[in-house]
Amino acid sequence: MKSIKDNPVKIRRKFDQNFKREALQNWFNSGKSAELIAGELGLNSNLLYAWKKRFAPDGTGQRAPAAAKPGSVADLQAQLDAAHRENRHLREQRDILKKTLGILSEPPASVMNGSTR
């Protein structure tokens, strides 16, 4: 005879739509397999496939629009321009930090540099 302790009752978990959509975005954007993402989230991979069918934009099971390729040359040019602006901004920040580090690393003028006079 089996006791109640041998067959623990499994609690059915409920996930809201926001969690489901975020799990799908994580899967699509990571490039990992559904099985790996499901394992990280403590889910069965079949749930991800079911959610994909349910939340696909056109119902065909295609990936979400965030994973879609840009549509035109203008889109690509805008992305490139934004990347150039960000790169320029990051270089300016780096240069400022280098100058600040140089200023902070200089010994004060009152220090005798190890002299014992």
Side-chain angles (χ1 to χ4, degrees), residues 101-116:
L101 183 61
I103 292 169
L104 294 175
S105 298
E106 291 178 2
S110 63
V111 175
M112 303 279 293
N113 291 334
S115 177
T116 56

PDB file of all heavy atoms in Angstrom, residues 101-116:
ATOM      1  N   LEU A 101      41.356  60.431 -13.843  1.00  0.00           N
ATOM      2  CA  LEU A 101      42.259  59.491 -13.185  1.00  0.00           C
ATOM      3  C   LEU A 101      43.670  60.051 -13.137  1.00  0.00           C
ATOM      4  O   LEU A 101      44.368  59.915 -12.126  1.00  0.00           O
ATOM      5  CB  LEU A 101      42.249  58.146 -13.921  1.00  0.00           C
ATOM      6  CG  LEU A 101      43.099  57.041 -13.312  1.00  0.00           C
ATOM      7  CD1 LEU A 101      42.622  56.705 -11.906  1.00  0.00           C
ATOM      8  CD2 LEU A 101      43.060  55.804 -14.180  1.00  0.00           C
ATOM      9  N   GLY A 102      44.092  60.716 -14.204  1.00  0.00           N
ATOM     10  CA  GLY A 102      45.413  61.326 -14.214  1.00  0.00           C
ATOM     11  C   GLY A 102      45.541  62.415 -13.169  1.00  0.00           C
ATOM     12  O   GLY A 102      46.561  62.530 -12.484  1.00  0.00           O
ATOM     13  N   ILE A 103      44.507  63.230 -13.011  1.00  0.00           N
ATOM     14  CA  ILE A 103      44.527  64.305 -12.017  1.00  0.00           C
ATOM     15  C   ILE A 103      44.551  63.726 -10.606  1.00  0.00           C
ATOM     16  O   ILE A 103      45.302  64.177  -9.743  1.00  0.00           O
ATOM     17  CB  ILE A 103      43.308  65.237 -12.208  1.00  0.00           C
ATOM     18  CG1 ILE A 103      43.452  66.007 -13.515  1.00  0.00           C
ATOM     19  CG2 ILE A 103      43.142  66.175 -11.025  1.00  0.00           C
ATOM     20  CD1 ILE A 103      42.184  66.755 -13.927  1.00  0.00           C
ATOM     21  N   LEU A 104      43.732  62.703 -10.371  1.00  0.00           N
ATOM     22  CA  LEU A 104      43.664  62.111  -9.035  1.00  0.00           C
ATOM     23  C   LEU A 104      44.919  61.314  -8.687  1.00  0.00           C
ATOM     24  O   LEU A 104      45.227  61.126  -7.517  1.00  0.00           O
ATOM     25  CB  LEU A 104      42.426  61.215  -8.922  1.00  0.00           C
ATOM     26  CG  LEU A 104      41.080  61.941  -8.999  1.00  0.00           C
ATOM     27  CD1 LEU A 104      39.939  60.929  -8.988  1.00  0.00           C
ATOM     28  CD2 LEU A 104      40.931  62.920  -7.848  1.00  0.00           C
ATOM     29  N   SER A 105      45.621  60.845  -9.694  1.00  0.00           N
ATOM     30  CA  SER A 105      46.818  60.037  -9.453  1.00  0.00           C
ATOM     31  C   SER A 105      48.046  60.887  -9.157  1.00  0.00           C
ATOM     32  O   SER A 105      49.040  60.381  -8.656  1.00  0.00           O
ATOM     33  CB  SER A 105      47.108  59.148 -10.664  1.00  0.00           C
ATOM     34  OG  SER A 105      46.047  58.264 -10.874  1.00  0.00           O
ATOM     35  N   GLU A 106      48.029  62.172  -9.480  1.00  0.00           N
ATOM     36  CA  GLU A 106      49.175  63.037  -9.230  1.00  0.00           C
ATOM     37  C   GLU A 106      49.324  63.265  -7.733  1.00  0.00           C
ATOM     38  O   GLU A 106      48.357  63.521  -7.030  1.00  0.00           O
ATOM     39  CB  GLU A 106      48.988  64.385  -9.929  1.00  0.00           C
ATOM     40  CG  GLU A 106      49.051  64.315 -11.420  1.00  0.00           C
ATOM     41  CD  GLU A 106      48.802  65.677 -12.066  1.00  0.00           C
ATOM     42  OE1 GLU A 106      48.612  66.670 -11.343  1.00  0.00           O
ATOM     43  OE2 GLU A 106      48.782  65.714 -13.307  1.00  0.00           O
ATOM     44  N   PRO A 107      50.569  63.200  -7.232  1.00  0.00           N
ATOM     45  CA  PRO A 107      50.774  63.473  -5.807  1.00  0.00           C
ATOM     46  C   PRO A 107      50.601  64.963  -5.542  1.00  0.00           C
ATOM     47  O   PRO A 107      50.858  65.788  -6.415  1.00  0.00           O
ATOM     48  CB  PRO A 107      52.217  63.035  -5.565  1.00  0.00           C
ATOM     49  CG  PRO A 107      52.865  63.079  -6.907  1.00  0.00           C
ATOM     50  CD  PRO A 107      51.796  62.801  -7.905  1.00  0.00           C
ATOM     51  N   PRO A 108      50.163  65.331  -4.365  1.00  0.00           N
ATOM     52  CA  PRO A 108      50.020  66.753  -4.039  1.00  0.00           C
ATOM     53  C   PRO A 108      51.375  67.458  -4.094  1.00  0.00           C
ATOM     54  O   PRO A 108      52.418  66.849  -3.873  1.00  0.00           O
ATOM     55  CB  PRO A 108      49.458  66.761  -2.621  1.00  0.00           C
ATOM     56  CG  PRO A 108      49.072  65.365  -2.313  1.00  0.00           C
ATOM     57  CD  PRO A 108      49.712  64.470  -3.300  1.00  0.00           C
ATOM     58  N   ALA A 109      51.387  68.756  -4.361  1.00  0.00           N
ATOM     59  CA  ALA A 109      52.623  69.529  -4.493  1.00  0.00           C
ATOM     60  C   ALA A 109      53.392  69.592  -3.175  1.00  0.00           C
ATOM     61  O   ALA A 109      54.600  69.782  -3.164  1.00  0.00           O
ATOM     62  CB  ALA A 109      52.303  70.925  -4.986  1.00  0.00           C
ATOM     63  N   SER A 110      52.739  69.405  -2.041  1.00  0.00           N
ATOM     64  CA  SER A 110      53.411  69.513  -0.746  1.00  0.00           C
ATOM     65  C   SER A 110      54.174  68.247  -0.363  1.00  0.00           C
ATOM     66  O   SER A 110      54.943  68.255   0.581  1.00  0.00           O
ATOM     67  CB  SER A 110      52.392  69.840   0.335  1.00  0.00           C
ATOM     68  OG  SER A 110      51.456  68.787   0.440  1.00  0.00           O
ATOM     69  N   VAL A 111      53.983  67.168  -1.085  1.00  0.00           N
ATOM     70  CA  VAL A 111      54.673  65.902  -0.768  1.00  0.00           C
ATOM     71  C   VAL A 111      56.091  65.960  -1.316  1.00  0.00           C
ATOM     72  O   VAL A 111      56.346  66.410  -2.419  1.00  0.00           O
ATOM     73  CB  VAL A 111      53.889  64.700  -1.354  1.00  0.00           C
ATOM     74  CG1 VAL A 111      54.657  63.415  -1.143  1.00  0.00           C
ATOM     75  CG2 VAL A 111      52.515  64.616  -0.734  1.00  0.00           C
ATOM     76  N   MET A 112      57.063  65.452  -0.542  1.00  0.00           N
ATOM     77  CA  MET A 112      58.472  65.542  -0.905  1.00  0.00           C
ATOM     78  C   MET A 112      58.952  64.302  -1.654  1.00  0.00           C
ATOM     79  O   MET A 112      60.134  64.113  -1.802  1.00  0.00           O
ATOM     80  CB  MET A 112      59.308  65.730   0.361  1.00  0.00           C
ATOM     81  CG  MET A 112      58.941  66.922   1.197  1.00  0.00           C
ATOM     82  SD  MET A 112      59.619  68.448   0.617  1.00  0.00           S
ATOM     83  CE  MET A 112      61.340  68.224   0.879  1.00  0.00           C
ATOM     84  N   ASN A 113      58.072  63.427  -2.098  1.00  0.00           N
ATOM     85  CA  ASN A 113      58.428  62.235  -2.857  1.00  0.00           C
ATOM     86  C   ASN A 113      59.452  61.364  -2.135  1.00  0.00           C
ATOM     87  O   ASN A 113      60.458  60.947  -2.661  1.00  0.00           O
ATOM     88  CB  ASN A 113      58.965  62.589  -4.245  1.00  0.00           C
ATOM     89  CG  ASN A 113      57.864  63.164  -5.129  1.00  0.00           C
ATOM     90  OD1 ASN A 113      56.708  62.861  -4.917  1.00  0.00           O
ATOM     91  ND2 ASN A 113      58.234  63.973  -6.098  1.00  0.00           N
ATOM     92  N   GLY A 114      59.219  61.099  -0.864  1.00  0.00           N
ATOM     93  CA  GLY A 114      60.084  60.174  -0.123  1.00  0.00           C
ATOM     94  C   GLY A 114      61.324  60.804   0.459  1.00  0.00           C
ATOM     95  O   GLY A 114      62.139  60.137   1.069  1.00  0.00           O
ATOM     96  N   SER A 115      61.537  62.068   0.277  1.00  0.00           N
ATOM     97  CA  SER A 115      62.722  62.744   0.807  1.00  0.00           C
ATOM     98  C   SER A 115      62.581  62.883   2.323  1.00  0.00           C
ATOM     99  O   SER A 115      61.492  63.117   2.842  1.00  0.00           O
ATOM    100  CB  SER A 115      62.868  64.121   0.169  1.00  0.00           C
ATOM    101  OG  SER A 115      63.965  64.792   0.725  1.00  0.00           O
ATOM    102  N   THR A 116      63.706  62.725   3.040  1.00  0.00           N
ATOM    103  CA  THR A 116      63.671  62.759   4.513  1.00  0.00           C
ATOM    104  C   THR A 116      64.176  64.055   5.084  1.00  0.00           C
ATOM    105  O   THR A 116      64.581  64.132   6.222  1.00  0.00           O
ATOM    106  CB  THR A 116      64.506  61.588   5.071  1.00  0.00           C
ATOM    107  OG1 THR A 116      65.830  61.683   4.545  1.00  0.00           O
ATOM    108  CG2 THR A 116      63.874  60.271   4.727  1.00  0.00           C
TER     109      THR A 116
END
